[in-house]
Amino acid sequence: MQHVIDNRVPANPVPVIRIRRLTKSYGHGDATVHALRGPSLPGTDEPAGVDLDIEQGDYVAVMGSSGSGKSTLMNILGCLDVPTSGRYLLDGTDVGHLDEQQLALVRNRKIGFVFQSFNLVPRTTALAQVELPLAYAGVRSAERRRRAMAALSLVGLGERAGHKPNQLSGGQQQRVAVARALVTAPAMLLADEPTGNLDSRSTEEVLGLIDGLNATGRTVVLITHEDEVARHAKRVLRLVDGQIVSDVRQAPVDGPPPVLAGLGVPA
Amino acid sequence: MILWQTLRFAVGGLAANKVRSALTMLGVLIGVASVILLLAVGNGSSQAVKDSITSLGTNSLTVSAGSAAGGSRSVSSVKKLTVADAKALATDADSSAIKSVAPVVTTSATALYGNVSYTPGSVVGTYPAYFETSNQKVAHGEYFTNDDVLGSRKVAVLGATTAKQLFDTEDPVGKKIVLGGTPFTVVGVLQAKGGSGFTDPDDVVIAPLPTVQNAFTGFGTVNQILVQASSADTTTAAQSEITRVLLGTHAIADPSKADFRITNQASLLTARESTTKTFTVLLGAVAAISLLVGGIGITNIMLVTVTERTREIGIRKALGAPRAVILGQFLTESTLLSVIGAGLGVAAGIVGSHFSIVGIKPVVIPASVLGAFGIAVAIGLFFGSYPANRAASLRPIDALRHE
């Protein structure tokens, strides 16, 4: 596992994610819908915005029903969408000030995505999928291949490198997506309902992989509506109508994820 | 991102929709091939006209009666051309540019051989110099001679078409034909020149001038005087010498009031050339339109491709693909479509130009091959840039949510 994962202990205590008074709304005037609003400002109906800090090495599950704003939050955290107002600092950088080019770089270097619907590039082999972020980062072909193979073996798909998405099962496709997300050694792994389309065995496999990544120091933000999945996280946030209504810590930031801790794996 | 990788993705993208890509390429192929082929046809026909005019003899000048300025003065004052005019031209001491002179009378008569009756296009009475000047070569037998002219002998040289009509497979030389009641002995048959216009230059009977005058036209005027300049370069000099001599014999002081007209083949050549140039430009325009339509086909298909692959674009953007990479990928795809289409079009155009089209042998213009290929590739880039730009400027979240 160690050849892919950046195992260094963070030198600075700056949170990986710091958002302040963040709001996201759609539509105008009376038809405005606040997908993210936070608490109302005292005495008015105006949204105050969401505040949130996520520490390096944390494993956060964001829960909420459909329409609670959890996907909106995830898209903003992943720099796929821009907030209506508020500040978002990723690794100390104010993302709001970056142009399109720099945002692409941030997505490439700092964030690894895992989506509910896998989102693999069609007609492309598993190896090429995993090489893709490295190619965009400008890594040389031989180095790219070596690192992509390492990432694929990490998720247990080393011998399926030449398979295309339509030749892989759902669980295997999601493992390819995990390998693709971690191959650039990003600061943060963002997973949007990663097990939503998987059977229970594949769910365990994928969550096991994510637990393992967190155990080696990777920050993970996971969106889910299943308590079973949230059980894997060190901290659980609940969103209702664009507000964080509860914030429960299930395990310390420095320790292993709760499920691995229960198995007796040392930190 | 490395060029090779982009190219591989582009080929993969095209291969994913083979029929669609092939049809789009077909559009470009047809455009390029038609540009090359139609320009080659235009060029071929202009070449053919040039060749046929050259075969008439580029250093011959034709003097005919009538006002050069046309119209304004009365017919009665126009002096006809006579054999005396021709003699004056032939004997003028200062006219170094004039090589030979042949007065020509033209009439028509019905020829009879045995029980075959045929009316040739024209019966020409002239001097032997006519043959060389008008580039008429004898295929079989002989020309008539100056002696035949002086003796007003009843001999004739037949054009290829006339000979074929009267004699079919028989050998005409030495046979007697009856032309308008007068018996003539055939001494030669001319080589076929082939016609480019409405009149067949091979449908002719040529006989000595006095013989034709005696039998048909009388000894008054001649229709035209054919003058051969000493070379193609001296036609202008010959033209001014003819003007000078004839103004003298016709006693006209003002050259603008000349009662004769001089035409040369060179001026005919330029007139015909400008006609065929118009023709070529017209053909080229039609072909260019089809090339444009091919280009619009590329835009259409690339727009469909972008819409279809919006989600893929979203994924790539989420993985950190910069705008330039997405742009490059779709531009490469559209350029690849046009390059392959244009390449096949060039091949098709060149192969097609080996066949003769509506009787014209196409002559490929090398510049048109390069031009058509270059324009097709540029069209691919230009028409591909709109869809590619649209793909590249999609916001990642919108692209990812696209169904």
Side-chain angles (χ1 to χ4, degrees), chain A residues 2 56 77 96 118 170 179 182 204 230 245:
Chain A
Q2 53 274 55
Q56 171 86 48
L77 291 183
F118 321 138
L182 62 84
E204 282 312 312
V245 293

Side-chain angles (χ1 to χ4, degrees), chain B residues 319-396:
Chain B
L319 295 180
R323 194 188 144 80
V325 169
I326 304 282
L327 193 73
Q329 190 188 331
F330 283 91
L331 266 187
T332 310
E333 257 182 54
S334 68
T335 310
L336 211 59
L337 274 177
S338 66
V339 165
I340 298 175
L344 293 174
V346 166
I350 289 175
V351 167
S353 69
H354 283 89
F355 302 97
S356 83
I357 295 155
V358 289
I360 297 164
K361 179 97 196 67
V363 179
V364 174
I365 311 168
S368 81
V369 176
L370 283 175
F373 187 84
I375 289 170
V377 173
I379 276 178
L381 268 173
F382 179 75
F383 283 98
S385 65
Y386 169 63
N389 238 314
R390 230 169 80 154
S393 51
L394 279 171
R395 281 172 52 214

Side-chain angles (χ1 to χ4, degrees), chain A residues 81 107-108 117 119 136, chain B residues 311 316-317 319 395 397:
Chain A
D81 207 350
R107 287 196 288 267
N108 186 249
S117 49
N119 276 350
Y136 293 141
Chain B
R311 218 177 142 78
R316 288 177 186 274
K317 287 206 148 188
L319 295 180
R395 281 172 52 214
I397 187 64

Side-chain angles (χ1 to χ4, degrees), chain A residues 80-156:
Chain A
L80 295 174
D81 207 350
V82 284
T84 308
S85 69
R87 269 158 51 92
Y88 169 26
L89 277 75
L90 176 63
D91 244 4
T93 320
D94 192 338
V95 172
H97 293 152
L98 301 181
D99 63 18
E100 157 114 33
Q101 182 85 25
Q102 291 165 316
L103 279 177
L105 210 64
V106 165
R107 287 196 288 267
N108 186 249
R109 300 283 162 84
K110 301 212 165 167
I111 304 165
F113 287 99
V114 179
F115 298 95
Q116 178 176 5
S117 49
F118 321 138
N119 276 350
L120 297 182
V121 178
R123 306 179 305 274
T124 309
T125 63
L127 183 66
Q129 305 270 1
V130 180
E131 279 188 26
L132 214 50
L134 295 174
Y136 293 141
V139 177
R140 288 176 158 280
S141 166
E143 168 76 358
R144 211 160 66 202
R145 177 149 303 223
R146 193 185 63 72
R147 281 170 66 178
M149 273 315 291
L152 275 176
S153 1
L154 183 71
V155 299

Side-chain angles (χ1 to χ4, degrees), chain B residues 165-191:
Chain B
Q165 292 291 343
L166 281 172
F167 293 93
D168 197 17
T169 54
E170 246 182 285
D171 180 10
V173 175
K175 302 278 172 14
K176 273 200 168 20
I177 60 168
V178 178
L179 198 59
T182 312
F184 281 82
T185 307
V186 179
V187 293
V189 179
L190 297 172
Q191 277 177 7

